[in-house]
Amino acid sequence: MKRVLLTGATGLIGGAVLHHALDRDDATEWVCLVRCGSIEQGRQRVAARLARFTDPFTAQRLARKIEIVPGDFTRADLDMDPRLDGLTHILHLAADTSWWGDERVNRTNHDGTLALARRARAMSGLQRFLHVGTAMICGANAPHHVEEAAYPAADARHLVAYTVSKAAAESSLAEHFSDLPIVVARPSIVVGHSVLGAGPSSSILWVVRAADRLRMLPCAPESKVDIVPSDWVAETLHGLLFKPSLAHRLYHVSGGASASTSWADLMRAFEAAEPSDGIRAFTRFDLADRATLRARFAQVFGLDGSLKQAMLRATRAYYAFCSLDLSFDNTRLLAEGFAAPPPLPAYLGTCLANSAEIVDQFADDLEMFTAPAPSQPAALTAIA
């Protein structure tokens, strides 16, 4: 009997994994560690996420299949709940995805992950601990095609606190928990769903749409961006979690050389889905030129209100990543027999078909760019 502990069940990838797994209706038991006041409250939080992938009735039915353990993974080493003892697998997805707030983000993503690893040592039947990080721990000074290195580079130049904390977590797991059956999966940029489009989440999709609307890029049109859909990520993580034997302990869950897309390809996909002048020409600008971006943003979206001002800051921050021109090698993943993902242009039209206004989509990501007051707990979500 497989018995899996899932953290981050209320986030995008966690919900996608659960929907993929529960829909299979096999004998696997899923235990979700959820921050909640009661078991029923936690179950309803998970059901609400599952409803992004199916109808509300089915979401409620699927949520009844899981076991809810109220708790916090960052204090898992203090949690003696016996339901956590007989686990065979752990899928660790929960994280503080905020880009700012170094101390708080590190406390959650690094210290909290180590707390979960300490608790895992008491699970005598544990077969695999799949820790989900991010491919962007490579840093801003990485080569354009990033290989699946064993550890984060010590000299990596990080752009945000989130990637610093995820890199630190990987390094500490490797250094202090070699006795655990840990496998690391590093997704690249997760955007949309290849079948359901923007329905499950519009996170990060708004950035691509904003770039199209602004008609501005801080890089050449031939620059690559490694984007993968949430349903493919979920299916791949599920496979990595349960595949009896793996050749490596680290994998990029990414588009790689074959499925990464160029901005030029994205422009053509936008033009096909939302025809304009047939050209879709973009202007290249210097990322340091804040005035030009601000003026263009104000012209297209306006700058009235705090939400749009926050969106401008977030757009500038994402453009810094866009300018890196990165794709992430997935040779190991493909060698294990996993299918390559569809590139974003293949399902962009599906995403646009059920998209809300760009500013409204950004509102779903707002908490990533606003640090809560010190007295507030960090929001724990699935990595995206």
Side-chain angles (χ1 to χ4, degrees), residues 300-343:
V300 173
F301 297 108
L303 275 173
D304 51 306
S306 59
L307 181 62
K308 290 181 180 178
Q309 292 169 15
M311 181 177 160
L312 171 59
R313 292 192 295 271
T315 300
R316 187 182 296 118
Y318 268 116
Y319 265 159
F321 282 101
C322 294
S323 66
L324 299 179
D325 185 17
L326 296 178
S327 63
F328 301 96
D329 182 46
N330 61 0
T331 303
R332 293 179 180 180
L333 192 74
L334 299 181
E336 293 285 358
F338 293 99

Coordinates of all heavy atoms in Angstrom, one line a residue, residues 300-343:
V300 N -0.5 51.9 -21.9 CA -1.3 50.6 -22.2 C -2.3 50.3 -21.1 O -3.5 50.0 -21.4 CB -0.4 49.5 -22.5 CG1 -1.1 48.2 -22.6 CG2 0.5 49.7 -23.7
F301 N -1.8 50.3 -19.8 CA -2.6 49.8 -18.7 C -3.1 51.0 -17.8 O -4.1 50.8 -17.0 CB -1.9 48.8 -17.9 CG -1.5 47.6 -18.6 CD1 -0.2 47.3 -19.0 CD2 -2.5 46.6 -19.0 CE1 0.2 46.2 -19.7 CE2 -2.1 45.5 -19.7 CZ -0.8 45.2 -20.0
G302 N -2.4 52.1 -17.8 CA -2.7 53.1 -16.9 C -1.9 52.8 -15.6 O -1.4 51.7 -15.4
L303 N -1.8 53.9 -14.7 CA -1.1 53.7 -13.5 C -2.0 54.2 -12.3 O -1.5 54.5 -11.2 CB 0.2 54.4 -13.5 CG 1.4 53.7 -14.1 CD1 2.6 54.6 -14.2 CD2 1.7 52.4 -13.3
D304 N -3.3 54.1 -12.5 CA -4.2 54.6 -11.5 C -4.4 53.4 -10.5 O -4.7 52.3 -10.8 CB -5.5 54.9 -12.1 CG -6.1 53.8 -13.0 OD1 -5.3 53.4 -13.9 OD2 -7.2 53.4 -12.8
G305 N -4.1 53.7 -9.2 CA -4.3 52.7 -8.2 C -3.1 51.9 -7.9 O -2.2 51.7 -8.7
S306 N -3.1 51.3 -6.7 CA -1.9 50.6 -6.2 C -1.7 49.2 -6.9 O -0.6 48.8 -7.0 CB -2.1 50.3 -4.7 OG -3.3 49.6 -4.4
L307 N -2.8 48.6 -7.4 CA -2.7 47.3 -8.1 C -1.9 47.5 -9.4 O -1.0 46.7 -9.6 CB -4.1 46.8 -8.4 CG -4.1 45.4 -9.1 CD1 -3.5 44.4 -8.2 CD2 -5.6 45.0 -9.5
K308 N -2.2 48.5 -10.1 CA -1.4 48.7 -11.4 C 0.0 49.1 -11.1 O 0.9 48.7 -11.9 CB -2.1 49.7 -12.3 CG -3.5 49.2 -12.8 CD -4.1 50.2 -13.7 CE -5.5 49.7 -14.3 NZ -6.1 50.7 -15.1
Q309 N 0.2 49.9 -10.1 CA 1.6 50.2 -9.7 C 2.4 49.0 -9.3 O 3.6 48.8 -9.7 CB 1.6 51.3 -8.6 CG 1.0 52.6 -9.1 CD 0.7 53.6 -7.9 OE1 1.2 53.4 -6.8 NE2 0.0 54.6 -8.2
A310 N 1.7 48.1 -8.5 CA 2.4 46.8 -8.2 C 2.6 46.0 -9.4 O 3.7 45.3 -9.5 CB 1.5 46.1 -7.2
M311 N 1.7 46.0 -10.4 CA 1.9 45.2 -11.6 C 3.1 45.7 -12.4 O 3.8 44.9 -13.0 CB 0.6 45.3 -12.4 CG 0.7 44.5 -13.7 SD -0.9 44.6 -14.6 CE -0.4 44.1 -16.2
L312 N 3.3 47.1 -12.4 CA 4.4 47.6 -13.1 C 5.7 47.1 -12.5 O 6.7 46.7 -13.2 CB 4.4 49.1 -13.1 CG 5.7 49.9 -13.6 CD1 6.0 49.5 -15.0 CD2 5.5 51.4 -13.4
R313 N 5.8 47.1 -11.2 CA 7.0 46.6 -10.5 C 7.2 45.1 -10.8 O 8.3 44.7 -11.0 CB 6.9 46.9 -9.0 CG 6.9 48.3 -8.5 CD 7.1 48.5 -7.1 NE 5.9 47.9 -6.3 CZ 4.9 48.6 -6.0 NH1 4.8 49.9 -6.3 NH2 3.9 48.1 -5.3
A314 N 6.1 44.4 -10.8 CA 6.2 42.9 -11.0 C 6.6 42.7 -12.5 O 7.4 41.8 -12.7 CB 4.9 42.3 -10.7
T315 N 6.1 43.5 -13.4 CA 6.5 43.3 -14.8 C 8.0 43.6 -15.0 O 8.7 42.8 -15.7 CB 5.7 44.3 -15.7 OG1 4.3 44.0 -15.5 CG2 6.1 44.2 -17.1
R316 N 8.5 44.6 -14.3 CA 9.9 44.9 -14.4 C 10.7 43.8 -13.9 O 11.8 43.4 -14.4 CB 10.2 46.2 -13.7 CG 11.7 46.7 -13.9 CD 11.9 47.9 -13.0 NE 11.1 49.1 -13.5 CZ 10.2 49.7 -12.8 NH1 10.0 49.3 -11.5 NH2 9.5 50.7 -13.2
A317 N 10.3 43.2 -12.7 CA 11.0 42.1 -12.1 C 11.0 40.8 -13.0 O 12.0 40.2 -13.2 CB 10.4 41.7 -10.8
Y318 N 9.9 40.5 -13.6 CA 9.8 39.4 -14.5 C 10.6 39.6 -15.8 O 11.2 38.7 -16.3 CB 8.4 39.0 -14.9 CG 7.7 38.0 -13.9 CD1 6.6 38.4 -13.1 CD2 8.2 36.7 -13.9 CE1 6.0 37.5 -12.3 CE2 7.6 35.8 -13.0 CZ 6.5 36.2 -12.2 OH 5.9 35.3 -11.4
Y319 N 10.6 40.8 -16.3 CA 11.4 41.1 -17.4 C 12.9 40.8 -17.2 O 13.7 40.5 -18.1 CB 11.3 42.6 -17.8 CG 10.2 42.8 -18.9 CD1 9.7 44.1 -19.0 CD2 9.8 41.8 -19.8 CE1 8.7 44.4 -20.0 CE2 8.9 42.1 -20.8 CZ 8.3 43.3 -20.9 OH 7.4 43.6 -21.9
A320 N 13.4 41.0 -15.9 CA 14.7 40.7 -15.6 C 15.0 39.2 -15.8 O 16.1 38.8 -16.3 CB 15.0 41.0 -14.1
F321 N 14.0 38.3 -15.5 CA 14.2 36.9 -15.8 C 14.1 36.6 -17.3 O 14.9 35.8 -17.8 CB 13.1 36.1 -15.0 CG 13.4 35.9 -13.6 CD1 12.8 36.7 -12.6 CD2 14.3 34.9 -13.1 CE1 13.0 36.5 -11.3 CE2 14.6 34.8 -11.8 CZ 13.9 35.6 -10.9
C322 N 13.2 37.3 -18.0 CA 13.1 37.1 -19.4 C 14.4 37.4 -20.2 O 14.7 36.8 -21.2 CB 12.0 38.0 -20.0 SG 10.3 37.6 -19.4
S323 N 15.1 38.4 -19.7 CA 16.3 38.8 -20.4 C 17.5 37.8 -20.2 O 18.5 38.0 -20.9 CB 16.8 40.2 -19.8 OG 17.2 40.1 -18.5
L324 N 17.3 36.8 -19.4 CA 18.4 35.8 -19.2 C 18.5 34.9 -20.3 O 19.6 34.2 -20.5 CB 18.2 35.1 -17.8 CG 18.1 36.0 -16.6 CD1 17.8 35.1 -15.3 CD2 19.4 36.7 -16.4
D325 N 17.5 34.6 -21.1 CA 17.5 33.7 -22.2 C 18.0 32.3 -21.8 O 19.0 31.8 -22.2 CB 18.5 34.3 -23.3 CG 18.5 33.4 -24.6 OD1 17.6 32.6 -24.8 OD2 19.5 33.6 -25.3
L326 N 17.2 31.7 -20.9 CA 17.5 30.4 -20.3 C 16.6 29.3 -20.8 O 15.4 29.4 -20.9 CB 17.5 30.4 -18.8 CG 18.4 31.4 -18.1 CD1 18.2 31.4 -16.6 CD2 19.9 31.1 -18.4
S327 N 17.2 28.1 -21.0 CA 16.4 26.9 -21.1 C 17.2 25.8 -20.2 O 18.4 26.0 -19.9 CB 16.4 26.4 -22.5 OG 17.6 26.0 -23.0
F328 N 16.4 24.8 -19.7 CA 16.9 23.9 -18.7 C 17.0 22.5 -19.3 O 15.9 21.9 -19.7 CB 16.1 24.0 -17.5 CG 16.0 25.4 -16.9 CD1 15.0 26.2 -17.2 CD2 17.0 25.8 -16.1 CE1 14.9 27.5 -16.7 CE2 17.0 27.1 -15.5 CZ 15.9 28.0 -15.8
D329 N 18.1 22.0 -19.3 CA 18.4 20.6 -19.9 C 17.5 19.6 -19.2 O 17.4 19.6 -17.9 CB 19.8 20.2 -19.7 CG 20.1 18.9 -20.3 OD1 19.7 18.6 -21.4 OD2 20.8 18.1 -19.6
N330 N 16.8 18.8 -19.9 CA 15.9 17.7 -19.4 C 16.3 16.3 -19.9 O 15.5 15.4 -20.0 CB 14.4 18.0 -19.6 CG 14.1 18.1 -21.1 OD1 15.0 17.9 -22.0 ND2 12.8 18.3 -21.4
T331 N 17.6 16.2 -20.3 CA 18.0 14.9 -20.8 C 17.8 13.7 -19.9 O 17.3 12.7 -20.3 CB 19.5 15.0 -21.1 OG1 19.8 16.1 -22.0 CG2 20.0 13.7 -21.8
R332 N 18.0 13.9 -18.6 CA 17.8 12.9 -17.6 C 16.3 12.5 -17.6 O 16.0 11.3 -17.5 CB 18.2 13.3 -16.2 CG 19.7 13.5 -16.1 CD 20.0 14.0 -14.6 NE 21.4 14.2 -14.4 CZ 22.0 14.6 -13.3 NH1 21.2 14.8 -12.2 NH2 23.3 14.8 -13.1
L333 N 15.5 13.5 -17.6 CA 14.0 13.2 -17.5 C 13.5 12.4 -18.7 O 12.8 11.4 -18.5 CB 13.3 14.5 -17.4 CG 11.8 14.4 -17.0 CD1 11.6 14.1 -15.6 CD2 11.1 15.8 -17.4
L334 N 13.9 12.8 -19.9 CA 13.5 12.1 -21.1 C 14.1 10.7 -21.1 O 13.4 9.7 -21.6 CB 14.0 12.9 -22.3 CG 13.4 14.3 -22.5 CD1 13.9 14.9 -23.8 CD2 11.9 14.3 -22.4
A335 N 15.3 10.5 -20.6 CA 15.9 9.2 -20.6 C 15.2 8.2 -19.6 O 15.2 7.0 -19.8 CB 17.4 9.3 -20.1
E336 N 14.4 8.8 -18.7 CA 13.6 7.9 -17.8 C 12.3 7.5 -18.4 O 11.6 6.7 -17.8 CB 13.3 8.7 -16.5 CG 14.5 9.0 -15.6 CD 15.0 7.8 -14.8 OE1 14.4 6.7 -14.9 OE2 16.0 7.9 -14.1
G337 N 12.1 8.0 -19.6 CA 10.9 7.6 -20.3 C 9.7 8.6 -20.3 O 8.6 8.3 -20.8
F338 N 10.0 9.7 -19.6 CA 8.9 10.7 -19.6 C 8.8 11.5 -20.9 O 9.8 11.7 -21.6 CB 9.2 11.7 -18.4 CG 9.1 11.1 -17.1 CD1 10.3 10.7 -16.4 CD2 7.9 10.8 -16.5 CE1 10.2 10.1 -15.1 CE2 7.8 10.3 -15.2 CZ 9.0 9.9 -14.5
A339 N 7.5 11.8 -21.2 CA 7.3 12.6 -22.5 C 7.7 14.0 -22.3 O 7.7 14.6 -21.2 CB 5.8 12.5 -22.8
A340 N 8.1 14.6 -23.4 CA 8.5 16.0 -23.4 C 7.2 16.8 -23.3 O 6.1 16.4 -23.8 CB 9.2 16.4 -24.7
P341 N 7.2 18.0 -22.7 CA 6.0 18.8 -22.6 C 5.6 19.5 -23.9 O 6.5 19.7 -24.8 CB 6.4 19.9 -21.5 CG 7.9 20.1 -21.8 CD 8.4 18.7 -22.2
P342 N 4.4 19.9 -24.0 CA 4.0 20.8 -25.2 C 4.6 22.2 -24.9 O 4.5 22.7 -23.8 CB 2.5 20.8 -25.1 CG 2.1 20.5 -23.7 CD 3.2 19.6 -23.2
P343 N 5.1 22.8 -25.9 CA 5.6 24.2 -25.8 C 4.4 25.2 -25.6 O 3.3 24.9 -26.1 CB 6.4 24.5 -27.1 CG 5.8 23.6 -28.1 CD 5.4 22.3 -27.3

